[in-house]
């Protein structure tokens, strides 16, 4: 005759209840977090693959953040270069109008305004840093505030205080783009024209006022060609800036598409099957109830009850 101890029955039923409660807690966690597990240990053999995927996703996110920052900087650079180009065109138009009218009246006032516009473009800032100053981002690259200051400088190079280091950004594992421009390269030819105009105005042949004589006409006509060349230099920089913008946009789109695909791969490994989790929770609730009923019934089948 095989004897069954009451204590063993209680222990077995209690273990069943504890296992059911653990399964229920696991199912409840999957439902609340919508994840298979809350730590790498819960993913078992897939933890190593998941770590590699998350590391790749983190690198992609870093490149995307860098790309967005570079994109914003390039947009500000484009606006600034347009401003300098417009100043060059404005100066040319002012000279052309003076030549057409045969008088210098108001020319230097117009040129002063266009110079200030060009200086403002070359001294433009983005997020508190000067765009065209190279590595010296805390100092305005163009120091002459007026045409008089420009003409008083020893030479045109002394007006620019930017260094020669152009900003570069790493946008991918194998892609590093030079995205910066330097004020002296962009605005050097244009400011040289403004300087020549101010020197003529303040020199023995000046001032540029009243009727235009033959010498004044010849001088201004020569400056028109120089302004065209200076504006072309700025426009060329704007075109290169636009080309870089297109490259950055292409790289960003590629990164975002790759991150979306990577997110799907990570989700396949980490996202819980909600239907299965709900089913598991319902089954564990039934198992808990059944175990509790068994424990309750065992209280009535004890040998002590029969002895009484």
């Amino acid at each position: 005759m095989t004897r069954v101890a009451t204590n063993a029955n209680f222990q077995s039923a209690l273990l069943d209840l504890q296992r059911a409660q653990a399964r229920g807690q696991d199912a409840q966690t999957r439902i609340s977090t919508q994840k298979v597990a809350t730590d790498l240990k819960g993913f078992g053999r897939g933890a190593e693959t998941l770590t590699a995927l998350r590391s790749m996703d983190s690198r992609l996110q870093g490149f995307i953040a860098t790309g967005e920052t570079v994109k914003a900087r390039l947009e500000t650079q484009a606006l600034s270069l347009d401003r300098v180009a417009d100043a060059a065109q404005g100066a040319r138009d002012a000279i052309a109008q003076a030549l057409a009218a045969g008088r210098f009246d108001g020319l230097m006032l117009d040129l002063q305004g266009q110079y200030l516009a060009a200086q403002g473009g070359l001294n433009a800032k983005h997020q508190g840093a000067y765009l065209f100053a190279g590595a010296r981002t805390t100092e305005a690259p163009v120091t002459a505030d007026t045409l008089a200051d420009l003409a008083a400088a020893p030479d045109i190079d002394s007006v620019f205080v930017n260094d020669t280091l152009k900003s570069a950004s790493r946008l991918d594992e194998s892609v590093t783009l030079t995205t910066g421009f330097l004020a002296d390269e962009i605005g050097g030819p244009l400011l040289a024209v403004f300087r020549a105009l101010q020197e003529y105005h303040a020199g023995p042949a000046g001032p540029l006022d009243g009727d235009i004589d033959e010498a004044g006409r010849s001088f201004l006509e020569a400056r028109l060609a120089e302004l065209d060349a200076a504006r072309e230099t700025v426009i060329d920089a704007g075109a290169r800036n636009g080309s870089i913008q297109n490259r950055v946009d292409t790289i960003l789109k590629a990164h975002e598409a790759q991150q979306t695909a990577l997110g799907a791969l990570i989700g396949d490994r980490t996202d819980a099957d909600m239907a299965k989790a709900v089913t598991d929770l319902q089954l564990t609730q039934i198992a808990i109830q059944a175990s509790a009923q068994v424990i309750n019934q065992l209280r009535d089948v004890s040998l002590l009850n029969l002895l009484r």
Side-chain angles (χ1 to χ4, degrees), residues 152-224:
D155 52 47
I156 195 66
D157 291 335
S158 64
V159 174
F160 295 96
V161 296
N162 60 273
D163 61 16
T164 59
L165 184 63
K166 297 180 181 179
S167 60
S169 304
R170 188 182 182 194
L171 301 176
D172 200 346
E173 296 288 356
S174 58
V175 177
T176 300
L177 294 180
T178 299
T179 57
F181 296 85
L182 301 177
D184 57 345
E185 294 180 356
I186 301 168
L190 177 59
L191 265 61
V193 180
F194 280 118
R195 177 183 169 89
L197 289 164
Q198 177 62 27
E199 287 177 337
Y200 187 92
H201 173 67
L208 295 179
D209 194 11
D211 294 331
I212 297 178
D213 55 15
E214 288 303 318
R217 181 175 295 277
S218 297
F219 173 77
L220 290 181
E221 288 175 348
R223 301 291 81 75
L224 289 178

Side-chain angles (χ1 to χ4, degrees), residues 101-136:
R103 294 186 61 82
F104 290 119
D105 296 340
L107 176 60
M108 292 308 298
L109 186 61
D110 284 345
L111 292 177
Q112 177 65 43
Q114 298 302 334
Y115 171 74
L116 291 176
Q119 184 208 28
L122 294 171
N123 286 346
K125 286 184 175 182
H126 177 69
Q127 295 182 350
Y130 288 100
L131 284 171
F132 306 117
R136 304 176 67 176

Side-chain angles (χ1 to χ4, degrees), residues 62-86:
F63 286 135
I64 289 174
T66 300
E68 293 291 350
T69 300
V70 172
K71 181 179 179 180
R73 177 188 173 93
L74 290 171
E75 289 173 352
T76 305
Q77 284 185 176
L79 294 174
S80 301
L81 291 170
D82 287 345
R83 185 177 179 185
V84 178
D86 290 343

Side-chain angles (χ1 to χ4, degrees), residues 287-302:
I288 290 171
Q289 293 173 358
S291 297
Q293 289 177 357
V294 169
I295 292 173
N296 188 54
Q297 291 173 357
L298 285 174
R299 294 171 54 194
D300 298 330
V301 298
S302 172

